[in-house]
Amino acid sequence: MPYAHRPVLLAEVLHFLEPQPGEIFVDATVGGGGHSAAILPRLLPGGRLIGLDRDAEAINAARESLAPFGAAVELILANFKDLVRVLQSRGFRAVDGLLFDLGVSSYQLDNPERGFSYQAEAPLDMRMGREQELTAATIVNTWPESKLAQIIWEYGEERWARRIAAFIAAARQKAPITTTTQLVDIIKAAIPAGARRSGHHPAKRTFQALRIAINGELDALQAAMEQLEQVLNPGGRVGVISFHSLEDRIVKRTFQRLSGQCTCPPGLPVCICGRRRVLEPVTRKPVTPAATEIAANPRARSAKLRVARRVLKEKDGE
């Protein structure tokens, strides 16, 4: 199927990240190249964009859509958790702009064979990078019931996590669970009818939890956030678009910590926590899509954008 992905919060990304001619930008989740296609003209002349993605199909789609920009763009099959290593291997010490558009893409959701969607019949897969071995089927059929309950609770924030895990464990004793629809039916059976009548699709949180666990999404995000100080030039901007509270919490706490917020107990005569000011917030609170964007693209409704800037001087940010 064609790789179609509508970039979320595009106008806001351009406004807050302010790409300028001659700058070096990284789109750490290039997808089909939607954000990159809008950023690149603002980097010219003289600028470059490095696009990363762990999905080979995304890289191929971006290569086609960004071909008009020629040598101004370089696309790399890589996980953004390896950001510093990948950039250094290409001769880049630091960059002026960095964008993360987290979560699963519309293409991955809409392509049945990828197994991300609870709306279509598909093999239980959910791998963002097909080179890895771990799949949703492996987790669902082989992980202990207690571990299943843990990830569904922690990564899906699902109140019925223990019950869902118990139903999965019982079902797999009879036959392997191999398709998305099989799993959806088990989840629906596990959640009481009254709880299924309101809110999101009953399988949404469990599918989110499995996807996060399979792809190590939160660990990768935390690893990337730890590299911001090293990878951003003075004055460089970083923007992160998240789609659920677990992602946003990691970004928020990282930005707070790197902004030098003192964590000493109240009443101490001097600061002893040693926090350094590396970032300053550009957005004081998360930026969310306008009603018009949500109407045109309902999947944008949960998006949150946070942006911060690398300070020029650690003490005063000037």
Side-chain angles (χ1 to χ4, degrees), residues 84-318:
V84 168
R85 179 185 61 79
V86 170
L87 291 178
Q88 289 179 348
S89 72
R90 296 309 200 276
F92 296 98
R93 186 187 61 81
V95 300
D96 304 297
L98 182 55
L99 174 65
F100 298 85
D101 181 5
L102 304 175
V104 63
S105 71
S106 293
Y107 170 81
Q108 290 167 330
L109 281 172
D110 294 337
N111 187 348
E113 68 180 52
R114 301 299 296 269
F116 285 100
S117 176
Y118 43 78
Q119 304 281 14
E121 171 85 8
L124 271 177
D125 193 327
M126 301 192 199
R127 292 173 296 171
M128 288 184 173
R130 296 206 188 192
E131 74 286 348
Q132 73 177 51
E133 294 184 6
L134 184 63
T135 67
T138 303
I139 290 180
V140 166
N141 288 291
T142 67
W143 281 20
E145 180 183 331
S146 60
K147 193 171 182 181
L148 276 175
Q150 180 183 359
I151 64 167
I152 295 170
W153 169 251
E154 290 184 1
Y155 296 159
E157 299 177 302
E158 170 60 73
R159 62 178 295 200
W160 302 103
R162 289 184 179 177
R163 188 172 166 89
I164 291 169
F167 273 58
I168 289 173
R172 70 191 186 189
Q173 293 297 317
K174 301 174 183 176
I177 304 165
T178 59
T179 68
T180 53
T181 49
Q182 281 180 285
L183 182 58
V184 168
D185 289 342
I186 293 166
I187 295 168
K188 285 181 176 179
I191 299 176
R196 297 199 307 267
R197 294 193 187 105
S198 60
H200 299 294
H201 189 286
K204 179 178 179 178
R205 294 180 182 275
T206 299
F207 270 60
Q208 172 184 297
L210 290 172
R211 192 200 79 217
I212 290 172
I214 291 157
N215 296 290
E217 293 178 40
L218 299 184
D219 290 340
L221 177 59
Q222 187 65 61
M225 292 295 99
E226 295 299 326
Q227 299 173 62
L228 293 180
E229 180 177 0
Q230 186 175 352
V231 81
L232 283 175
N233 280 323
R237 289 81 64 201
V238 55
V240 186
I241 301 172
S242 62
F243 289 86
H244 56 76
S245 60
L246 300 175
E247 295 170 336
D248 184 58
R249 194 175 302 136
I250 290 173
V251 178
K252 179 181 179 180
R253 289 176 177 173
T254 301
F255 283 9
Q256 286 176 339
R257 177 174 57 80
L258 293 179
S259 69
Q261 256 184 27
C262 179
T263 58
C264 293
L268 285 183
V270 294
C271 173
I272 60 171
C273 69
R275 287 289 175 92
R276 296 166 50 243
R277 189 162 182 250
V278 176
L279 297 178
E280 60 182 1
V282 174
T283 54
R284 295 289 171 178
K285 60 181 182 179
V287 177
T288 56
T292 51
E293 178 172 4
I294 295 173
N297 181 16
R299 286 176 177 167
R301 63 184 176 272
S302 58
K304 292 182 178 180
L305 170 66
R306 292 185 186 270
V307 181
R309 183 174 73 94
R310 179 76 153 88
V311 298
L312 304 183
K313 297 180 181 179
E314 291 177 7
K315 291 185 178 180
D316 54 24
E318 294 179 357

